Amino acid sequence: MIETVRYTYRLRPGRLAETALLSEWGRCRFLWNEAVHQQKTRRGPTLCKLSKLLTEARGKHAWLRKGSQVAQQQTLRTYAAALDASFKVNGCGRPRPKKAKTALPSLEYTARGMRVKDGRLCLPGKIAVPVVWSRALPSDPTSVRVYRDNLGHWYASFVVRRDAVLPGEPSESAIGIDWGVKTTAATTNAHFDLPHLGHRKRCAGERAKLQRRMARRRRCKGAAPSKGYLTAKRQSARVEKKAARQNTHDARQWAAKVVASHELIAVEDFKPKFLAKTRMARKAADAAIGACKRELIYRGTRAGRKVVLVPPAYTTMTCSECGTRTKERLGLGIRIFECAACGHTADRDLNAARTILATAERNRASADDIRHSIASFRGG
């Protein structure tokens, strides 16, 4: 079985190569903003129309003709895909203009616009960038995305094809997962629980110190930022990036362990976005529930497991033994669930995980990622 994946590597561009990449990004950003303008003026910017406008613009303007046509065409393709997704995907808005001060550089090249030679990534315009090869590519890349993060580090993400690496036969049949703040992921098997690790909380003191330094060194509006301000800003971003990477690493390790051991994975379809407006916003962001959920669904679907998304409504209020729903909502301070009908007592997160698993087993899922509505255990 062949699968298409991305292999990402760190780049070490010199001063000339970085200047050339930023110049190319400026041309691609101009094309993106022009496509957004075409959409706002209701001219129907399809990919065919945008390609014709690009051909005419390259014939008129020499500065645009200096850039790579492959990168510029891929920018328009990316815009067309984003515009199409805004009409089909729920919650996906229209493409917005990219500002020079806030948008991070990102360039895409197909196989005819790039090549790998002598350990370097060769791009149009005589751009050769050394690559830090942490591992070998399994096959020749079909495309590459060159981008820069908020720390100023450059990366190359190659699209390659390889033999699918699938986990073996699962040792257990099913597992239910309930998301929370005190425990990031409470499961029906305590061995697979994901505790709240608090990486951002440990970095909060150092980040606050650097942010105060930024406030002291901030100049008046309109003046160029000082070197000390930029240094403090970069150090603060590095601390934040470190905590985010730790959360990503832990989510990947936990998701791989859960997927390798279970055939059916019942996941609470929890939307952590609303927590940003509550007093638990900081702790919820530290838990990184959304990242853990995405990683679990991605790995489970790729491994061929049965992943079921169960709506969170009434999962905490429903008894996992008899299916009776409590009449009053349980506050966050109540950590023990007690059923008035059958007398069952359990931790509230464990009870919710068992309820989620029971709901998924009653509505036996297909091999795809689907949704089920929670139903009373007593009916049908």
Side-chain angles (χ1 to χ4, degrees):
M1 181 178 177
I2 304 298
E3 63 177 356
T4 302
V5 294
R6 283 187 175 272
Y7 276 47
T8 305
Y9 303 88
R10 178 78 179 271
L11 297 179
R12 303 286 187 181
R15 182 175 299 179
L16 296 178
E18 185 172 9
T19 302
L21 290 173
L22 292 177
S23 299
E24 189 66 63
W25 162 243
R27 301 183 189 96
C28 294
R29 189 177 61 84
F30 166 79
L31 294 175
W32 177 281
N33 294 342
E34 182 63 26
V36 173
H37 175 71
Q38 294 284 330
Q39 173 65 23
K40 288 184 176 180
T41 54
R42 301 183 182 276
R43 299 180 184 180
T46 61
L47 180 59
C48 183
K49 292 181 180 180
L50 292 176
S51 299
K52 290 181 179 179
L53 292 175
L54 174 60
T55 303
E56 296 176 359
R58 286 178 62 88
K60 295 179 181 179
H61 305 287
W63 64 272
L64 195 59
R65 204 162 45 246
K66 290 181 180 179
S68 170
Q69 186 176 6
V70 175
Q72 296 171 7
Q73 187 68 28
Q74 287 300 114
T75 300
L76 297 181
R77 288 183 179 275
T78 304
Y79 172 82
L83 182 62
D84 184 62
S86 66
F87 291 102
K88 297 180 179 179
V89 180
N90 187 22
C92 185
R94 300 288 187 271
R96 297 180 179 180
K98 295 185 177 181
K99 300 180 180 180
K101 292 184 178 181
T102 57
L104 296 175
S106 178
L107 303 169
E108 294 188 15
Y109 298 89
T110 57
R112 71 185 185 93
M114 63 88 182
R115 62 173 179 167
V116 179
K117 182 179 180 181
D118 298 333
R120 293 173 175 263
L121 175 62
C122 300
L123 301 174
K126 299 181 179 180
I127 303 176
V129 186
V131 183
V132 182
W133 297 105
S134 56
R135 52 180 175 171
L137 288 172
S139 62
D140 294 334
T142 57
S143 64
V144 64
R145 182 167 67 94
V146 180
Y147 63 95
R148 190 181 70 178
D149 63 1
N150 59 341
L151 298 179
H153 300 160
W154 288 88
Y155 296 89
S157 180
F158 296 94
V159 177
V160 295
R161 297 174 64 85
R162 69 173 185 185
D163 295 333
V165 182
L166 300 179
E169 292 295 327
S171 58
E172 300 182 24
S173 59
I175 187 173
I177 301 174
D178 176 70
W179 304 110
V181 177
K182 186 176 181 180
T183 301
T184 303
T187 63
T188 52
N189 187 348
H191 177 68
F192 295 95
D193 286 356
L194 179 62
H196 179 76
L197 300 175
H199 294 303
R200 284 191 173 91
K201 185 178 181 180
R202 285 195 295 271
C203 300
E206 185 178 357
R207 186 177 66 248
K209 178 181 177 181
L210 294 171
Q211 289 175 348
R212 288 194 297 268
R213 187 180 301 173
M214 288 172 55
R216 291 194 302 267
R217 297 176 178 178
R218 185 187 297 273
R219 292 181 177 177
C220 59
K221 187 175 181 180
S226 64
K227 185 179 295 185
Y229 172 82
L230 295 177
T231 301
K233 182 179 179 181
R234 185 166 54 252
Q235 292 174 349
S236 176
R238 185 180 292 113
V239 171
E240 184 68 24
K241 178 72 73 173
K242 177 183 177 181
R245 285 172 175 170
Q246 288 175 331
N247 281 332
T248 302
H249 173 76
D250 293 336
R252 289 175 177 175
Q253 297 293 324
W254 173 76
K257 183 173 66 173
V258 172
V259 169
S261 304
H262 300 89
E263 176 64 26
L264 173 63
I265 304 175
V267 186
E268 179 188 8
D269 192 13
F270 182 69
K271 302 294 192 302
K273 186 177 180 179
F274 78 95
L275 291 176
K277 299 180 180 179
T278 65
R279 58 182 179 180
M280 297 188 300
R282 182 173 297 179
K283 191 171 184 179
D286 197 357
I289 298 176
C292 296
K293 176 184 171 184
R294 287 192 301 269
E295 190 67 29
L296 180 64
I297 294 175
Y298 167 72
R299 288 181 177 270
T301 305
R302 194 178 73 173
R305 306 304 192 208
K306 298 178 181 178
V307 182
V308 184
L309 295 181
V310 179
Y314 306 113
T315 53
T316 306
M317 301 169 57
T318 305
C319 178
S320 59
E321 289 292 328
C322 63
T324 304
R325 185 184 303 172
T326 60
K327 297 181 180 180
E328 297 180 358
R329 179 174 298 179
L330 275 69
L332 292 176
I334 304 176
R335 307 309 305 173
I336 302 299
F337 176 86
E338 297 180 0
C339 180
C342 65
H344 174 67
T345 303
D347 180 80
R348 62 176 290 159
D349 294 336
L350 177 60
N351 177 76
R354 290 174 177 173
T355 303
I356 291 170
L357 179 58
T359 304
E361 288 180 339
R362 286 178 59 85
N363 303 281
R364 193 65 178 178
S366 65
D368 298 326
D369 177 23
I370 62 175
R371 297 175 182 268
H372 290 283
S373 58
I374 187 171
S376 174
F377 300 163
R378 296 172 293 180

